[in-house]
């Protein structure tokens, strides 16, 4: 088994770790992941893991700690047996987002800087370093690179979705030269000349110079002639695509060929496909670990092949021994979507041999389909039944009565038995489950009996789910004991008024945002514009059309649609003009939604809380960022003003600290530094440190002080004494 490396300590990161418990939890998570991935007992080994901690709980550094431990074990020559024949590289896959790509590359360096222990830090910085790739050939090149190459590769989903190759004209010329060399006499020199003579612009013209590259061009090509030629031969051996491409080239190079434009377009498409296929073939080893960030993007991937999942399966999945999927909470995936994510395990090459890998994949499949999926469905149905029982609870039932019944001796004993039942492998036995519940409810009051029955069922199925799904999923929630308010704004009147409500046992929605006053007119005008746009038919879709802020409305598709439809109309143009004159970027802070969010963020900020804001539109997110930044900046300035008393007081304080005859100048003088040096020197000579009394001027030293004053022309008897001189003379 691979253990957590002793070269790093997540608790060393004082920038990120504010509570020692967080460091302990994150280290324990790394241990758990490594144990599950590489347990010596095959029955306790799971090759896929989902880390679903809440936002801000350290998933990134936990994943990097796991990757560091795996790479260190491989580097030291004692890796797990399952990792034989693997590259000593870790691949991190992010969504097609340049910010996330940069963030992960930067976090690898931060991990070394903050968490690796000082004796190992310099060395670790050389090998545990990140490089980002966005093209399939760049990924292949980095995986194959030997020597002191960076061992963490960060890629995004673009590599699985095609897209333009970097330096494509150069690579097309390179591939053509390799193909001509491979085809040899089957594609004669005169045919090559005719092919290139009629080629589109940017194609090479001389078949003799196809492989004549400068040193700089070879660096951009990433691979040598022999590497690509061997890959072409292997591909031609097992697939018809090289032969089909040869036939197309023969056809277009024939004399008097018509439709050359369409034929060259087809050849271009085929060349790109062949090049990508060659890149796949050049990856001739497996990966010890693939880390997938924002993995919930694949909640429909295995079934639909969406979001680059098909490309991942072909390029990485079939070469990865272990997969770590990261997804932040709210982890609100439906049961079918959780099961879908676990299907990533279907494509892993978990062991060095294909036969053993097939056995391990079958085990993952059986656990997912025969254990996890049934208990997920049972837990979901039990939750729905519990909600219905709760809604039908009589209003006369008090909270104290429910609590007393739930904590009664029979119910507590039943929960213990049910939990033991849930820990058994597989779905909890239905007959035994119902027998335990029935016995526990025999003396419960009829008004709460059905609620407790459904509560016990929900308890056992959730416990069963924790045991079965918990083998594949790790999830931590943020602690809330530091929060002043734990619930929200559902009940504004207070706890006493809530207790008087006859419908207090029913869940209620929170009140909506108040749009009266300044926010009322733009909303009314928007409703009128939407109504006019629909010709007075149907409803004005205020909820779906009103965007997050005013400027977003103007720049959105809905805003453009309203302008297009209403400009030039009699009544609609009037409403449109009034709307556009009343909204805009300057009015964004007054937007009811924006105002509510900004004030909430500021309240949390003052209390030392983080706030996570989900925005549907990028423009809304940018405007919120600017508005919040301005508000916080202004508040910091106000705090500084209250603390320092304004610019005049700040200048006065600066003068007191720097003026030679002012009272605070001694705080910043070099006496402090010299005292430290002298203390160290004298401590060595006199075997004791200087004491505060040693720095006082004694009576017999006053004459020497006066002599120094006369020598340097400093008046020690004046009203304003030069404190800098006095300090140094002393």
């Amino acid at each position: 088994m691979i253990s957590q490396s002793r070269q790093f300590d997540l608790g060393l990161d004082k920038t990120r770790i504010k509570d020692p418990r967080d460091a302990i939890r994150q280290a324990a998570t790394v241990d758990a992941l490594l144990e599950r991935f590489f347990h010596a007992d095959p029955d306790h080994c799971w090759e896929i893991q989902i880390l679903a901690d809440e936002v801000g709980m350290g998933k990134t550094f936990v994943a990097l700690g796991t990757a560091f431990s795996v790479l260190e074990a491989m580097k030291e020559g004692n890796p797990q047996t399952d990792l034989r024949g693997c590259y000593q590289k870790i691949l991190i896959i992010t969504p097609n987002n340049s910010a996330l790509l940069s963030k992960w590359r930067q976090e690898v360096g931060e991990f070394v800087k903050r968490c690796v222990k000082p004796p190992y830090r310099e060395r670790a910085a050389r090998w545990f370093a990140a490089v980002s790739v966005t093209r399939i050939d760049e990924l292949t090149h980095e995986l194959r690179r030997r020597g002191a190459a960076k061992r963490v590769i960060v890629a995004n989903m673009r590599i699985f979705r095609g897209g333009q190759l970097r330096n494509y004209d150069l690579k097309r010329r390179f591939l053509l030269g390799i193909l001509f060399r491979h085809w040899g006499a089957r594609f004669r020199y005169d045919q090559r000349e005719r092919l290139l003579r009629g080629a589109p612009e940017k194609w090479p013209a001389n078949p003799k110079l196809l492989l004549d590259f400068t040193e700089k061009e070879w660096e951009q090509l990433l691979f040598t002639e022999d590497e690509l030629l061997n890959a072409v031969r292997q591909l031609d051996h097992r697939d018809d695509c090289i032969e089909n491409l040869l036939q197309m080239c023969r056809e277009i190079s024939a004399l008097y060929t018509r439709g050359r434009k369409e034929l060259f377009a087809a050849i271009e498409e085929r060349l790109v496909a062949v090049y990508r296929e060659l890149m796949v073939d050049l990856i001739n080893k497996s990966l010890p670990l693939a880390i997938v960030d924002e993995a919930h993007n694949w909640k429909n991937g295995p079934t639909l092949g969406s979001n680059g999942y098909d490309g991942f399966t072909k390029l990485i999945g079939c070469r990865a021994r272990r997969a770590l999927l990261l997804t932040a909470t709210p982890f609100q995936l439906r049961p079918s979507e959780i099961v879908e994510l676990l299907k990533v395990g279907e494509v892993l090459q978990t062991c060095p041999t294909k036969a053993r890998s097939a056995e391990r994949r079958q085990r993952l499949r059986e656990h997912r389909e025969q254990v996890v999926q049934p208990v997920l469905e049972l837990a979901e149905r039990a939750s729905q039944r519990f909600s219905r029982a709760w809604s039908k609870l009589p209003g006369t039932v008090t909270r104290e009565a429910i609590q007393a019944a739930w904590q009664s001796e029979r119910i507590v004993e039943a929960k213990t038995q049910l939990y033991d039942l849930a820990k058994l492998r597989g779905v909890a036995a239905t007959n035994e489950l119902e027998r335990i519940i029935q016995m526990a409810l025999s003396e419960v009051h009829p008004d709460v009996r059905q609620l407790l029955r459904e509560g016990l069922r929900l308890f056992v199925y959730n416990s069963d789910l924790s045991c079965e799904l918990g083998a594949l999923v790790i999830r931590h929630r943020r602690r809330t004991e530091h929060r002043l308010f734990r619930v929200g704004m559902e009940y504004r009147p207070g706890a006493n008024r809530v207790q008087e409500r006859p419908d207090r046992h029913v869940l209620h929605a929170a009140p909506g945002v108040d749009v009266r006053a300044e926010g009322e007119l733009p909303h009314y005008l928007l409703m009128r514009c939407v109504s006019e746009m629909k010709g007075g038919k149907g409803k004005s879709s205020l909820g779906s059309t009103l965007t997050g802020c005013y400027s977003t409305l103007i720049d959105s598709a809905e805003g453009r649609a309203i302008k297009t439809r209403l400009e030039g109309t009699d009544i609609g143009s009037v409403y449109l003009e009034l709307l556009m004159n009343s909204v805009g970027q300057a009015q964004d802070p007054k937007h009811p939604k924006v105002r509510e969010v900004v004030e909430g963020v500021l309240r949390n900020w003052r209390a030392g809380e983080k706030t996570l804001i989900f925005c549907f539109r990028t423009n809304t997110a940018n405007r919120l960022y600017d508005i919040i930044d301005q508000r916080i900046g202004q508040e910091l300035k106000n705090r500084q003003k209250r603390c320092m008393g304004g610019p005049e007081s700040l200048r006065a304080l600066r003068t007191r600290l720097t003026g030679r005859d002012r009272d605070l100048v001694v705080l910043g003088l070099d006496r402090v530094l010299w005292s430290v040096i002298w203390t160290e020197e004298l401590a060595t000579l006199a075997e004791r440190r200087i004491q505060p009394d040693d720095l006082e001027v004694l009576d017999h030293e006053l004459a020497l002080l006066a002599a120094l004053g006369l020598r340097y022309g400093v008046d020690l008897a004046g009203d304003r004494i030069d404190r800098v001189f006095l300090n140094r003379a002393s």
Side-chain angles (χ1 to χ4, degrees):
M1 173 181 164
I2 295 177
S3 301
Q4 183 174 165
S5 170
R6 295 183 179 181
Q7 293 188 12
F8 71 85
D9 178 1
L10 295 175
L12 293 176
D13 181 11
K14 302 306 180 185
T15 303
R16 189 176 53 90
I17 300 293
K18 304 301 182 185
D19 189 331
R21 292 176 295 178
D22 288 334
I24 295 172
R25 171 184 55 77
Q26 291 176 18
T29 304
V30 174
D31 286 334
L33 288 170
L34 291 170
E35 183 178 19
R36 295 179 183 191
F37 277 145
F38 304 108
H39 201 286
D41 184 352
D43 290 337
H44 294 88
C45 184
W46 300 98
E47 292 84 0
I48 181 172
Q49 290 291 304
I50 299 176
L51 180 56
D53 287 356
E54 280 194 24
V55 173
M57 296 197 69
K59 291 186 299 298
T60 299
F61 273 35
V62 166
L64 292 176
T66 305
F68 188 98
S69 300
V70 171
L71 286 177
E72 186 200 349
M74 298 181 71
K75 195 167 68 73
E76 297 300 326
N78 55 346
Q80 187 81 1
T81 305
D82 286 352
L83 301 186
R84 287 202 309 264
C86 287
Y87 291 112
Q88 289 188 21
K89 305 286 179 73
I90 297 290
L91 178 63
I92 299 171
I93 303 169
T94 74
N96 193 15
N97 182 310
S98 57
L100 273 177
L101 191 74
S102 301
K103 173 240 181 192
W104 269 98
R105 189 178 65 247
Q106 180 180 353
E107 290 294 335
V108 173
E110 291 297 319
F111 174 86
V112 174
K113 187 189 304 181
R114 300 183 194 174
C115 299
V116 175
K117 298 174 183 177
Y120 310 103
R121 191 170 296 158
E122 184 178 353
R123 184 180 173 207
R126 290 195 293 268
W127 65 268
F128 195 73
V131 58
S132 58
V133 298
T134 56
R135 308 292 195 280
I136 186 173
D137 52 349
E138 295 170 1
L139 172 63
T140 303
H141 172 65
E142 289 298 333
L143 285 173
R144 291 170 58 91
R145 181 182 287 190
R146 299 178 181 178
K150 298 176 180 178
R151 303 198 183 189
V152 181
I153 303 172
V154 185
N156 58 26
M157 295 295 177
R158 184 184 301 173
I159 63 173
F160 306 133
R161 300 178 183 175
Q164 183 67 39
L165 294 166
R166 188 175 280 118
N167 302 314
Y168 172 66
D169 293 338
L170 197 64
K171 292 170 182 176
R172 174 179 53 204
R173 173 182 154 198
F174 184 34
L175 180 56
L176 283 171
I178 295 297
L179 288 172
F180 289 174
R181 181 177 167 186
H182 172 67
W183 289 331
R186 292 189 295 162
F187 192 56
R188 300 187 311 274
Y189 185 77
D190 62 313
Q191 292 175 307
R192 301 177 190 181
E193 280 191 320
R194 284 197 298 271
L195 173 70
L196 298 182
R197 193 183 304 133
E201 187 181 359
K202 294 186 178 180
W203 273 56
N206 190 340
K208 294 181 179 180
L209 302 178
L210 291 179
L211 298 178
D212 187 12
F213 298 109
T214 65
E215 184 176 347
K216 184 178 180 180
E217 287 174 333
W218 276 118
E219 292 177 359
Q220 296 172 339
L221 289 171
L222 306 178
F223 305 99
T224 66
E225 284 187 56
D226 291 340
E227 284 177 324
L228 202 62
L229 181 60
N230 290 334
V232 167
R233 288 169 178 166
Q234 293 175 15
L235 181 60
D236 195 18
H237 182 71
R238 74 167 198 278
D239 196 290
D240 294 335
C241 61
I242 300 292
E243 191 66 27
N244 292 337
L245 184 57
L246 173 60
Q247 296 302 325
M248 294 175 67
C249 290
R250 285 172 175 169
E251 180 181 351
I252 198 171
S253 63
L255 295 173
Y256 311 115
T257 300
R258 296 183 178 181
R260 283 178 175 270
K261 185 176 180 180
E262 292 76 13
L263 286 173
F264 266 110
I267 288 179
E268 190 87 84
E269 183 179 348
R270 188 64 58 87
L271 280 172
V272 173
V274 166
Y275 185 82
R276 295 185 185 281
E277 196 67 32
L278 293 173
M279 295 302 104
V280 176
D281 283 355
L282 283 169
I283 304 176
N284 52 11
K285 290 185 179 181
S286 295
L287 283 159
L289 175 65
I291 299 171
V292 182
D293 193 21
E294 306 289 349
H296 49 263
N297 288 316
W298 282 349
K299 63 185 181 182
N300 300 314
T303 297
L304 303 178
S306 56
N307 289 333
Y309 182 81
D310 280 349
F312 165 81
T313 299
K314 180 179 180 182
L315 184 63
I316 300 302
C318 62
R319 292 174 171 82
R321 300 286 170 85
R322 301 292 187 268
L324 175 58
L325 311 183
L326 308 181
T327 176
T329 47
F331 192 61
Q332 296 172 338
L333 300 179
R334 293 189 291 272
S336 59
E337 293 170 341
I338 295 176
V339 172
E340 194 79 0
L341 270 185
L342 294 176
K343 288 182 181 179
V344 173
E346 290 276 330
V347 300
L348 299 179
Q349 183 71 16
T350 61
C351 303
T353 63
K354 292 185 178 180
R356 182 61 178 154
S357 293
E359 292 177 9
R360 298 299 301 175
R361 288 196 297 270
Q362 179 63 23
R363 177 174 179 266
L364 285 171
R365 186 182 307 113
E366 290 175 355
H367 185 75
R368 185 187 71 245
E369 295 178 354
Q370 300 176 17
V371 179
V372 173
Q373 186 164 354
V375 75
L376 268 170
E377 294 169 354
L378 286 169
E380 184 181 35
R381 290 198 292 268
S383 177
Q384 294 169 352
R385 290 196 301 268
F386 179 79
S387 297
R388 288 195 294 268
W390 180 269
S391 66
K392 295 178 181 178
L393 194 68
T396 56
V397 177
T398 63
R399 180 180 60 182
E400 290 75 13
I402 298 174
Q403 187 173 4
W406 186 250
Q407 295 177 349
S408 64
E409 185 177 347
R410 281 180 174 270
I411 297 295
V412 171
E413 182 181 356
K415 286 194 289 184
T416 302
Q417 296 175 1
L418 291 172
Y419 187 72
D420 291 338
L421 194 65
K423 288 191 292 185
L424 300 176
R425 186 167 178 78
V427 182
T430 306
N431 294 335
E432 181 65 12
L433 164 70
E434 293 302 325
R435 184 189 67 80
I436 295 173
I437 292 176
Q438 194 60 34
M439 290 181 61
L441 297 175
S442 59
E443 298 180 3
V444 173
H445 193 281
D447 284 349
V448 295
R449 185 176 297 160
Q450 185 61 25
L451 178 67
L452 264 62
R453 175 180 285 110
E454 299 302 341
L456 288 172
R457 288 172 177 165
L458 182 59
F459 169 81
V460 70
Y461 288 132
N462 279 343
S463 300
D464 197 5
L465 182 60
S466 295
C467 295
E468 307 296 359
L469 189 59
L472 304 174
V473 178
I474 295 177
R475 180 185 183 189
H476 293 103
R477 292 174 175 170
R478 189 180 302 282
R479 288 184 298 275
T480 58
E481 66 267 17
H482 63 288
R483 293 179 180 170
L484 180 61
F485 301 101
R486 298 191 186 188
V487 186
M489 299 169 60
E490 282 79 6
Y491 296 108
R492 294 175 183 271
N496 295 333
R497 292 286 301 278
V498 172
Q499 291 293 334
E500 299 172 2
R501 292 178 63 127
D503 60 346
R504 64 183 181 276
H505 59 288
V506 180
L507 297 177
H508 295 270
V513 177
D514 190 348
V515 296
R516 289 174 295 181
E518 290 182 288
E520 189 171 5
L521 179 59
H523 282 64
Y524 170 76
L525 291 172
L526 176 65
M527 292 171 66
R528 296 301 309 171
C529 286
V530 174
S531 179
E532 290 296 325
M533 186 175 68
K534 294 183 176 181
K537 299 177 182 179
K539 298 179 180 179
S540 58
S541 53
L542 174 63
S544 60
T545 306
L546 180 63
T547 50
C549 61
Y550 294 133
S551 57
T552 303
L553 168 65
I554 297 172
D555 297 332
S556 67
E558 290 89 344
R560 290 192 294 271
I562 289 176
K563 290 179 183 178
T564 303
R565 296 286 296 276
L566 296 187
E567 283 181 348
T569 63
D570 294 335
I571 300 178
S573 59
V574 174
Y575 286 125
L576 178 63
E577 184 179 1
L578 289 171
L579 175 64
M580 293 305 171
N581 288 337
S582 62
V583 300
Q585 197 172 75
Q587 287 77 35
D588 281 344
K590 299 179 181 179
H591 189 289
K593 288 184 182 180
V594 173
R595 185 175 61 243
E596 192 80 13
V597 171
V598 171
E599 293 301 330
V601 170
L602 287 173
R603 284 195 299 270
N604 292 345
W605 174 73
R606 294 183 190 111
E609 281 275 0
K610 291 181 179 179
T611 302
L612 178 65
I613 305 173
F614 290 93
C615 294
F616 183 73
R617 300 173 189 272
T618 304
N619 186 59
T620 305
N622 291 334
R623 288 298 296 134
L624 277 173
Y625 178 90
D626 293 338
I627 294 168
I628 292 170
D629 183 61
Q630 291 172 6
R631 288 288 303 276
I632 290 178
Q634 185 60 48
E635 182 148 339
L636 288 174
K637 289 181 181 178
N638 293 338
R639 288 186 184 184
Q640 182 185 28
K641 185 176 181 180
R642 290 196 300 270
C643 178
M644 298 297 183
E648 293 297 329
S649 298
L650 189 60
R651 280 194 292 271
L653 176 62
R654 188 180 297 114
T655 302
R656 290 176 64 194
L657 285 168
T658 57
R660 297 177 65 86
D661 57 352
R662 305 305 296 272
D663 56 334
L664 296 182
V665 67
V666 293
L667 296 178
L669 294 178
D670 55 1
R671 175 181 180 178
V672 178
L673 297 176
W674 282 110
S675 297
V676 173
I677 298 172
W678 291 337
T679 299
E680 295 297 329
E681 292 177 351
L682 293 177
T684 304
L685 298 174
E687 297 185 354
R688 76 174 187 86
R689 292 184 176 276
I690 290 180
Q691 302 299 317
D693 292 345
D694 296 331
L695 299 177
E696 294 183 8
V697 179
L698 303 179
D699 290 344
H700 69 274
E701 294 173 331
L702 292 176
L704 178 59
L705 186 61
L708 290 171
L710 291 172
R711 180 186 303 175
Y712 293 104
V714 176
D715 183 6
L716 297 179
D719 293 334
R720 303 183 70 175
I721 300 175
D722 186 338
R723 293 178 180 270
V724 175
F725 169 80
L726 187 61
N727 184 75
R728 291 177 174 171
S730 299

